[in-house]
Amino acid sequence: MIIGFLGTGVITEAIIRGLYDVAGYDDTILVSERSATRSAQLAHDYRKVRVVCDNRSLAEQSDWIMVSVLPEQVRDVLKELDYRPDQKIISLAAGVSLEQLRTWAAPATDIVRVIPMPPIEHGLGPVALCPPDAGAETLFEKIGTCVAVSDEAQFNLFGAASALMADFFDQVADVTTWMSGKGMDLTTAARYTTALYHALSDLTVRQPVEELHMMSAACQTPGGLNAQFLARRTQSGASRSLTEGLEDILARLESAAD
Ligand SMILES: NC(=O)c1ccc[n+]([C@@H]2O[C@H](COP(=O)([O-])OP(=O)(O)OC[C@H]3O[C@@H](n4cnc5c(N)ncnc54)[C@H](OP(=O)(O)O)[C@@H]3O)[C@@H](O)[C@H]2O)c1
């Protein structure tokens, strides 16, 4: 089977490296020549990656077409190509609806939306899919945790949650910088904070789902440090800003598909 990527940006590279390095994937992958340095590097690093000069030729040669250009580029890129009814179209583009994709990629009807995240390069992280698709799930399960829903409105909730990434990294960096500002060596501070956030995230995955909401309470000794910190953050509106931020992103994703 041949998978072709329209767009050779950050997330395309993460998926390709994850597939070959982590999952031992061995089929051919085509990438567009755009982002010439990145596509050339991928072809250099993996013998099964081939750079294809134009999108039309890439689409013709591919059994599955991964749409990995920016959302505002999807319409123009898709509309200039021809599709076979048996081709699978997998779109990564945020806010581009299944209905829009069906219109622009007709007569192809086998269309799936996915949201992989950058840690997929290391075989980690969620891969949201809509609708559920056995083929796409088999591929992405090699390098991530597939979570598929039939309802596109629910899929947008995953899209909103995927926007937490920058805030998370800022939190790790800010705590590290705060320690270093107090005189600690930066490497020592980072060793502590990255191990802390890694361990806490790992703990959430191990927790039974129904006990997830009890994790916070379980580490709050009355009058203790965790209780004091959380109270301060709640008071300053941190938890409200989390849900408000998610609502904003959701509204943006929902309106983009109109
Ligand atoms: N980054 C993430 O974490 C992430 C996660 C999930 C989903 N997504 C989605 O994945 C898509 C790609 O995101 P990204 O972060 O990888 O973006 P990116 O790094 O900006 O990559 C976009 C790619 O599209 C190429 N491109 C632009 N116009 C093209 C055309 N006409 N034909 C072929 N290729 C063209 C660009 O080439 P040039 O550099 O030559 O312009 C570039 O290689 C977006 O729709 C985004 O919503 C991203």
Side-chain angles (χ1 to χ4, degrees):
M1 183 183 70
I2 296 182
I3 300 176
F5 283 82
L6 289 169
T8 317
V10 172
I11 199 70
T12 292
E13 176 170 5
I15 294 170
I16 292 176
R17 292 198 182 282
L19 282 172
Y20 288 121
D21 291 343
V22 177
Y25 190 71
D26 199 35
D27 278 350
T28 297
I29 291 180
L30 309 180
V31 293
S32 35
E33 200 180 27
R34 295 287 293 258
S35 298
T37 308
R38 179 178 277 123
S39 51
Q41 188 65 49
L42 287 167
H44 173 269
D45 293 350
Y46 305 105
R47 66 187 171 84
K48 290 285 185 103
V49 172
R50 272 199 290 124
V51 180
V52 180
C53 295
D54 71 288
N55 291 347
R56 186 166 282 276
S57 167
L58 183 141
E60 271 169 18
Q61 295 179 61
S62 302
D63 301 301
W64 290 9
I65 300 171
M66 297 270 192
V67 184
S68 194
V69 293
L70 297 177
E72 61 273 20
Q73 299 163 335
V74 173
R75 181 178 183 277
D76 289 348
V77 169
L78 286 185
K79 284 195 84 169
E80 69 178 14
L81 305 177
D82 295 322
Y83 307 92
R84 299 184 299 276
D86 64 315
Q87 281 176 312
K88 190 188 286 297
I89 314 290
I90 301 179
S91 170
L92 285 73
V96 177
S97 70
L98 288 169
E99 192 185 333
Q100 289 171 318
L101 294 163
R102 277 188 210 107
T103 306
W104 301 333
T109 55
D110 185 2
I111 295 176
V112 190
R113 291 181 64 187
V114 300
I115 312 171
M117 304 295 286
I120 201 164
E121 178 173 354
H122 306 290
L124 286 170
V127 183
L129 298 98
C130 181
D133 180 274
E137 287 173 56
T138 301
L139 180 81
F140 282 109
E141 196 64 46
K142 296 177 194 298
I143 45 175
T145 303
C146 288
V147 188
V149 290
S150 307
D151 179 356
E152 206 167 8
Q154 286 189 8
F155 181 76
N156 282 334
L157 301 177
F158 296 138
S162 74
L164 292 172
M165 208 165 39
D167 184 61
F168 174 85
F169 291 141
D170 264 354
Q171 200 175 124
V172 182
D174 287 351
V175 178
T176 310
T177 306
W178 175 80
M179 286 178 171
S180 124
K182 297 277 178 198
M184 183 179 279
D185 164 65
L186 188 66
T187 309
T188 307
R191 188 170 160 79
Y192 182 86
T193 53
T194 54
L196 175 67
Y197 278 86
H198 184 205
L200 296 179
S201 300
D202 186 74
L203 215 52
T204 63
V205 179
R206 295 169 192 274
Q207 200 70 10
V209 181
E210 60 279 3
E211 288 174 25
L212 206 51
H213 70 285
M214 287 155 35
M215 293 181 80
S216 169
C219 63
Q220 289 180 60
T221 314
L225 304 183
N226 274 271
Q228 180 183 335
F229 184 76
L230 186 64
R232 175 78 163 84
R233 294 265 290 166
T234 306
Q235 212 176 42
S236 66
S239 40
R240 198 179 59 246
S241 81
L242 177 74
T243 44
E244 285 174 356
L246 288 169
E247 291 289 354
D248 284 352
I249 303 296
L250 183 62
R252 178 174 162 187
L253 289 171
E254 286 172 341
S255 69
D258 285 346

